Amino acid sequence: MSGGTYYVPEQSKLPIFASFGLFLTVFGAANWMNGNSSGPWLFFAGGLTFAAVLWNWFSIVISENMAGLNSPQLKRSYVIGMGWFIFSEVMFFAAFFGALFYIRALALPWLAGEGDGVDNVLLWPGFANEWPLMTTPDMAANGEGATKVGPDAAMSWPGFGGLFSWLPFWNTVVLLSSSVTVHFAHTAIKNNNRKQFNIMLGVTVLLGFIFLFLQAEEYIHAYHELGLTLQSGIYGTTFFMLTGFHGAHVTMGTIMLLVMWLRSVLKGHFKPDDNFGFEAASWYWHFVDVVWVGLFFVVYVFG
């Protein structure tokens, strides 16, 4: 067979445990959001179960690779698998960007009585199509008796005068800088410069944590000073769904790069011609950066 033999791993129960952990996480999250006191416990139990499975699973894969069991054909399958995983993530965010487009271009004009939605003026009198949506249809129709209330202020473009005090701007600077440093790390390992690789990858991980800290500060500011929450109408919902899921992906990407950095610093893993674990994590990181650029313009600048 061209390309060598194909290594077939032993049978494993890890996929079953991983599925159970994910189920428990989602089930716990649903109960948590519906006010069930057991929800948080189920959510964190599922998360810990899934994390433990990944730790063991990745340890096995790394050990197999270090033992030379992975043939070139199997390594190509890793590349293809990572490519399909990133593609599925692209479709995930495309659904949310599509939902935002539908709301802004179709749903809000229809609710405001534009086009074929003139009859809705009877349901939501006085509702105007605007974005960010500060006055919800419920507020327009029921005034102070409304239960669905919009935010007090929006997390929108402040103009060039307020740029340097605007947290999303610094988030963008930090994340784009991390994309540059991870590229330098990639170049360094290709040139067999482990010292520079460790430094640049360490800086990338640090920038990832800084981004998460700044986003937490942004959420605190939004909740406590702007009245912008998940419950503040469709603007609050789409804002936190898009930026929140992106933040979750940054968290996952930061952990992936941290593991690669520890592997290099503590174990001396990765060579110029054998570093796919790091490459896969760096591909994912570049994807996260590209998504943020889209979010920055769609949600913040033109939002």
Side-chain angles (χ1 to χ4, degrees):
M1 178 187 297
S2 60
T5 59
Y6 194 100
Y7 171 66
V8 180
E10 296 181 0
Q11 289 186 350
S12 173
K13 296 182 177 62
L14 289 175
I16 298 175
F17 288 115
S19 300
F20 175 73
L22 285 174
F23 167 77
L24 206 59
T25 302
V26 175
F27 185 70
N31 279 271
W32 194 353
M33 288 187 290
N34 284 280
N36 192 321
S37 60
S38 64
W41 295 100
L42 292 171
F43 175 82
F44 288 113
L48 288 174
T49 300
F50 187 63
V53 171
L54 290 184
W55 179 276
N56 284 278
W57 205 338
F58 289 166
S59 296
I60 292 171
V61 173
I62 292 169
S63 298
E64 290 172 345
N65 186 65
M66 298 305 295
L69 297 176
N70 295 344
S71 67
Q73 187 176 13
L74 183 56
K75 291 180 179 180
R76 286 195 297 271
S77 73
Y78 289 160
V79 174
I80 295 171
M82 191 64 190
W84 276 111
F85 171 67
I86 292 177
F87 176 75
S88 71
E89 295 284 62
V90 170
M91 293 296 100
F92 177 85
F93 279 101
F96 286 105
F97 278 109
L100 182 61
F101 171 80
Y102 173 81
I103 291 163
R104 295 181 61 172
L106 298 174
L108 289 184
W110 184 78
L111 288 174
E114 300 175 16
D116 294 333
V118 291
D119 292 339
N120 289 283
V121 175
L122 301 175
L123 298 174
W124 317 109
F127 175 68
N129 176 21
E130 61 176 4
W131 194 267
L133 188 64
M134 312 302 291
T135 303
T136 65
D138 191 16
M139 292 172 67
N142 300 310
E144 295 182 357
T147 57
K148 299 296 182 181
V149 181
D152 300 324
M155 187 73 72
S156 299
W157 170 252
F160 288 102
L163 183 63
F164 294 110
S165 60
W166 191 42
L167 278 175
F169 168 74
W170 292 111
N171 271 337
T172 304
V173 171
V174 167
L175 207 55
L176 292 183
S177 298
S178 73
S179 193
V180 174
T181 56
V182 80
H183 171 72
F184 286 159
H186 195 185
T187 302
I189 196 63
K190 287 290 188 181
N191 295 329
N192 202 25
N193 188 338
R194 184 169 298 277
K195 181 179 179 181
Q196 185 180 3
F197 173 74
N198 290 340
I199 292 173
M200 288 293 100
L201 185 53
V203 171
T204 304
V205 172
L206 177 62
L207 290 172
F209 282 117
I210 291 174
F211 175 89
L212 294 172
F213 172 78
L214 290 177
Q215 188 164 47
E217 287 292 315
E218 178 186 329
Y219 279 9
I220 293 171
H221 173 68
Y223 259 75
H224 294 287
E225 298 182 34
L226 304 182
L228 179 60
T229 70
L230 271 169
Q231 290 76 36
S232 56
I234 194 66
Y235 173 60
T237 301
T238 54
F239 175 84
F240 284 104
M241 289 293 285
L242 280 162
T243 61
F245 272 116
H246 178 265
H249 284 71
V250 172
T251 302
M252 185 162 61
T254 302
I255 293 172
M256 290 165 63
L257 292 174
L258 176 61
V259 170
M260 302 307 154
W261 182 75
L262 291 173
R263 286 181 60 189
S264 177
V265 171
L266 301 179
K267 298 291 187 178
H269 291 180
F270 306 125
K271 300 175 183 178
D273 58 346
D274 187 13
N275 54 73
F276 177 70
F278 162 72
E279 283 189 340
S282 68
W283 294 349
Y284 187 80
W285 194 252
H286 287 307
F287 158 75
V288 166
D289 291 345
V290 171
V291 172
W292 177 257
V293 172
L295 283 174
F296 180 70
F297 285 103
V298 173
V299 174
Y300 294 99
V301 176
F302 301 119

